[in-house]
Amino acid sequence: MRIPYLFSALALLASTYAQTPADFEAAMQEHFTSDAPGGAAIVTKGGKVLFEGALGMADLAKGEALTAEDQFRIGSVTKQFAAVAIMQLAEQGKLQLDDEIQKYVDFPRKEHPITITHLLTHTSGIPSFTSLPLYQPEACAKDIELPEIIALFADLPLEFEPGTRFSYSNSGYLLLTAIIERASGLSWTAYAEKFLFKPAGMAQSSAAITGPALPAEAIGYTRTESGWEPAPPISLTWPRAAGCIRSTVRDLWKWNTSVFAGKQVSTAMLAKAHVGQRFPDGSTEEYGYGWGFQNVQGSRTIEHSGGIDGFVSNSLYLPEEDIYVA
């Protein structure tokens, strides 16, 4: 499944002069078949839905076909939600983006200061716990408390001086989880439901880290020598604000619309989130606060992908054309 290419293809189709539902259906058929694990997509332009559909299976064992209303684990697309939560708390005066993280979370001081901005931009130098040998399917299937996860990487040396390089770190967003909870007085799950989902009208999404599957939650699969099998499960107590959200393509569109309409944070604050990083050695990284920046046929995109236990996802926005794809 070449998912990243699918989203770029759908965005390109939406930017052409003439497009029909059949064009988008054809793009989906290049990536999925009706008898295998499938995918869902939405394509919008100027607030109008050009395409919304799904192809393939949600549950192979039960023979249930996938629909666009089914809920997926969106993995690291969650990071933009965490970033917005941090920005909201900053605008409320409950934290400052340049605060050292130890003001909000029990984490040993290193040889260089680490700020909230460093966590947001993956420039902290803190090793990502998902790259450590301990991050194995058997361990990740079991629930874990947030302090326990932080303890797994807290005493490791920094990979570099904060602010001098980029290295994608899920550990940073676990620390942001703890900071959101400390600054807001709410659990990450409760905060997301009340201050992120509800204002956006996202009624089919969840940031719950425990409990049963959602009513229309698809199953994630992996290909083995004997065919498709359910992917080894990951307890959502592990990723939290780094990747725990489950959602639908339409809810993700609602979220993107809410964000860029200024309903989540001010346009001035959002502008800070959508600027890439420049480092002391002159190198750059096209990543801001929970979003990365690329392009489709020369048009700038604001986007993020995600991957977790049998699911892959992408949220892609072309601001100049007002085109959104999930």
Side-chain angles (χ1 to χ4, degrees):
M1 292 182 291
R2 300 160 292 164
I3 302 301
Y5 303 103
L6 171 62
F7 291 113
S8 294
L10 293 174
L12 177 59
L13 275 173
S15 67
T16 60
Y17 176 73
Q19 65 280 318
T20 68
D23 294 324
F24 296 114
E25 290 281 3
M28 293 285 286
Q29 290 168 3
E30 292 180 10
H31 299 267
F32 304 106
T33 60
S34 60
D35 60 349
I42 191 168
V43 183
T44 74
K45 184 174 183 178
K48 177 182 178 182
V49 176
L50 302 181
F51 173 79
E52 184 178 16
L55 180 62
M57 304 299 290
D59 187 327
L60 291 174
K62 295 181 179 178
E64 293 180 353
L66 192 68
T67 74
E69 291 76 37
D70 284 335
Q71 294 145 329
F72 292 77
R73 293 189 174 198
I74 63 172
S76 286
V77 177
T78 301
K79 288 182 170 64
Q80 60 192 251
F81 291 83
V84 168
I86 289 289
M87 290 187 283
Q88 288 177 345
L89 293 167
E91 290 194 319
Q92 295 165 18
K94 295 181 178 179
L95 56 79
Q96 300 292 326
L97 297 183
D98 59 359
D99 282 342
E100 290 190 38
I101 63 175
Q102 288 81 7
K103 184 175 180 179
Y104 307 95
V105 61
D106 183 13
F107 193 76
R109 291 188 178 276
K110 306 296 182 178
E111 60 270 31
H112 303 285
I114 302 170
T115 69
I116 293 174
T117 296
H118 290 144
L119 302 182
L120 287 168
T121 57
H122 299 288
T123 59
S124 69
I126 299 172
S128 182
F129 76 92
T130 51
S131 298
L132 301 177
L134 58 90
Y135 192 70
Q136 297 295 329
E138 183 176 352
C140 296
K142 301 175 182 177
D143 291 352
I144 188 170
E145 297 296 327
L146 184 54
E148 292 180 78
I149 313 178
I150 294 174
L152 297 175
F153 57 82
D155 294 326
L156 297 177
L158 296 180
E159 296 177 338
F160 50 83
E161 180 181 345
T164 64
R165 283 174 48 195
F166 175 93
S167 182
Y168 194 87
S169 177
N170 284 301
S171 298
Y173 274 74
L174 277 180
L175 291 168
L176 288 174
T177 307
I179 292 171
I180 291 166
E181 293 185 340
R182 176 70 64 84
S184 70
L186 297 172
S187 70
W188 156 247
T189 298
Y191 188 94
E193 296 285 348
K194 184 174 182 179
F195 295 110
L196 304 177
F197 299 159
K198 188 174 181 179
M202 299 170 65
Q204 305 304 317
S205 299
S206 174
I209 59 175
T210 59
L214 301 179
E217 187 170 346
I219 294 175
Y221 288 91
T222 186
R223 190 190 290 275
T224 68
E225 292 182 358
S226 58
W228 291 105
E229 299 288 344
I234 294 176
S235 165
L236 294 177
T237 59
W238 283 82
R240 299 182 187 245
C244 78
I245 289 176
R246 292 166 285 173
S247 190
T248 66
V249 291
R250 182 169 283 263
D251 262 13
L252 289 179
W253 172 46
K254 291 179 179 179
W255 165 253
N256 193 77
T257 300
S258 177
V259 167
F260 285 91
K263 295 181 179 179
Q264 298 286 340
V265 294
S266 69
T267 53
M269 178 63 80
L270 189 63
K272 295 181 180 180
H274 295 154
V275 176
Q277 307 303 305
R278 180 174 293 276
F279 303 113
D281 65 359
S283 62
T284 60
E285 182 65 38
E286 290 300 307
Y287 195 98
Y289 303 170
W291 278 274
F293 321 114
Q294 299 187 52
N295 72 80
V296 172
Q297 297 290 306
S299 292
R300 183 175 188 255
T301 67
I302 300 174
E303 61 181 275
H304 211 293
S305 60
I308 185 170
D309 65 343
F311 295 89
V312 287
S313 57
N314 205 327
S315 172
L316 183 153
Y317 183 55
L318 282 68
E320 292 185 9
E321 294 84 356
D322 194 16
I323 290 171
Y324 178 74
V325 180

